[in-house]
Amino acid sequence: MTDKPNFLPERLALLADLNAAQYLTEGLLSGKEDAPAIALNKTTEPLPHDGESRAELAPVRDLIDDAMYKFRDDRPTSADAWLAPRLHATLRLTRREAADRRIWNHLALGVAPDYVVWRHLVAKSEGDPPKVAAARFRGPAYTQVFSRLWWAAELYRDGPDYGPVVIACSNQEMLNTALRLDAIEHRPTAQAMVRLIKRGTVTNTREVNAMAAAINASAATLMYDVVAPDAERDGRPLREWIEAAESAPAVPRRELPVGPYEEKSPQRSVDVLVDHFAELFAGAPVRGRRDAGEETGSEV
């Protein structure tokens, strides 16, 4: 199985897509080889904020080690809900910084390729050898192993509260499907979806997938930001939170960390969308759900 890199620099870095591609060998994707750490790190570039403490590599690697240890006897998917808020609070990136794929390429290949293999090594079908999809190392934000966790934490958190992130990331379709929707960038929409899961209206992955499809279709005719306006975003709390990284301790492992002290989503807006989405979901086709008037079937 792919092992932890035998060489780790002191700082996180940027690894261009073209450079990352040359290390995505069949041996690595099948978990039979290690990433060539020294050669790989010679092709990286420093982060724009390289001189800041949030660019230190050790806190991120320690966090990943703890995730693999904590969930060593569970399904690897269980680690998502625990790691997402803590990764977000450790890196303390702006959205502009997080949109740079190069930081995620380096994190996956130069810092924690063993985690990528541990988390995503699967067989496509019975009889096929297990393999990691290349996009888990180098791919779009909603697929790449660490990028999708960071963006899930960013889009599902409610101001400083990471509680909704844990709920969202406990259902894989909130990562695989809902995270791809443009509507999810509207904070009351994200919080309304999480609330429907929390109260049990939407339960399994099939139902989340159906809810996401219905919400996305409805967004073509109903502007959610008009019927459910969000609070105006103030950039100061995020800047202060990022600056505080210079003196912040390691993120807590047992309780949730605290995010930037931004204003939460307006509850009235969330309430409006919860009611609307519940109606959409009631009429949405769900594979395995019985006809109207009967009880909803459980997922096998």
Side-chain angles (χ1 to χ4, degrees):
M1 187 69 73
T2 299
D3 204 354
K4 181 177 179 177
N6 56 18
F7 169 77
L8 288 172
E10 293 184 0
R11 319 292 288 179
L12 297 170
L14 303 174
L15 180 65
D17 276 349
L18 189 61
N19 291 330
Q22 66 180 305
Y23 300 111
L24 296 176
T25 63
E26 284 299 312
L28 178 64
L29 296 178
S30 62
K32 297 177 181 178
E33 295 179 0
D34 297 335
I38 295 177
L40 184 150
N41 279 283
K42 289 180 179 179
T43 67
T44 62
E45 304 170 46
L47 290 170
H49 55 277
D50 183 60
E52 301 176 28
S53 63
R54 62 193 177 109
E56 294 176 359
L57 185 148
V60 181
R61 181 65 229 196
D62 290 346
L63 181 65
I64 291 168
D65 286 336
D66 288 347
M68 295 177 70
Y69 181 79
K70 181 177 178 66
F71 297 97
R72 64 194 183 280
D73 297 325
D74 298 325
R75 296 181 64 181
T77 53
S78 303
D80 291 345
W82 185 88
L83 184 55
R86 291 169 176 84
L87 180 69
H88 185 275
T90 297
L91 292 174
R92 300 203 183 197
L93 302 172
T94 65
R95 289 192 178 189
R96 180 184 294 274
E97 291 167 339
D100 190 339
R101 287 168 50 132
R102 296 177 298 170
I103 188 172
W104 306 116
N105 291 343
H106 181 249
L107 195 51
L109 281 160
V111 179
D114 52 325
Y115 180 88
V116 185
V117 171
W118 174 80
R119 171 61 183 83
H120 288 289
L121 186 68
V122 295
K124 287 187 176 180
S125 59
E126 188 175 351
D128 287 344
K131 186 177 179 180
V132 179
R136 297 299 185 184
F137 283 98
R138 167 186 170 267
Y142 50 78
T143 301
Q144 204 273 353
V145 58
F146 295 115
S147 178
R148 75 181 193 133
L149 294 180
W150 190 94
W151 282 103
E154 173 67 11
L155 296 173
Y156 292 128
R157 68 181 173 88
D158 195 11
D161 182 12
Y162 284 115
V165 179
V166 176
I167 296 171
C169 292
S170 296
N171 187 299
Q172 286 298 301
E173 286 307 312
M174 289 293 281
L175 288 165
N176 297 335
T177 300
L179 203 59
R180 304 181 184 218
L181 305 181
D182 290 339
I184 208 70
E185 294 189 23
H186 179 238
R187 296 195 307 158
T189 293
Q191 294 307 310
M193 294 179 71
V194 171
R195 189 183 295 180
L196 287 174
I197 295 173
K198 183 177 182 179
R199 76 181 192 184
T201 302
V202 178
T203 56
N204 56 52
T205 55
R206 292 176 182 175
E207 292 181 350
V208 169
N209 191 41
M211 174 181 66
I215 290 171
N216 193 46
S218 176
T221 57
L222 181 65
M223 299 181 66
Y224 297 146
D225 57 345
V226 174
V227 299
D230 194 1
E232 287 193 18
R233 304 291 295 274
D234 180 359
R236 185 173 59 182
L238 177 61
R239 291 194 300 270
E240 292 176 346
W241 184 68
I242 289 175
E243 291 169 359
E246 295 301 311
S247 57
V251 296
R253 277 21 180 192
R254 294 189 177 182
E255 63 270 13
L256 284 174
V258 177
Y261 283 98
E262 296 174 328
E263 187 174 349
K264 292 188 175 185
S265 300
Q267 284 304 300
R268 186 175 181 280
S269 294
V270 177
D271 291 341
V272 167
L273 291 181
V274 165
D275 292 341
H276 178 61
F277 293 166
E279 291 181 8
L280 291 177
F281 175 68
V286 180
R287 185 164 61 91
R289 182 162 69 178
R290 299 179 183 178
D291 295 335
E294 299 183 17
E295 294 182 359
T296 301
S298 61
E299 185 176 18
V300 177

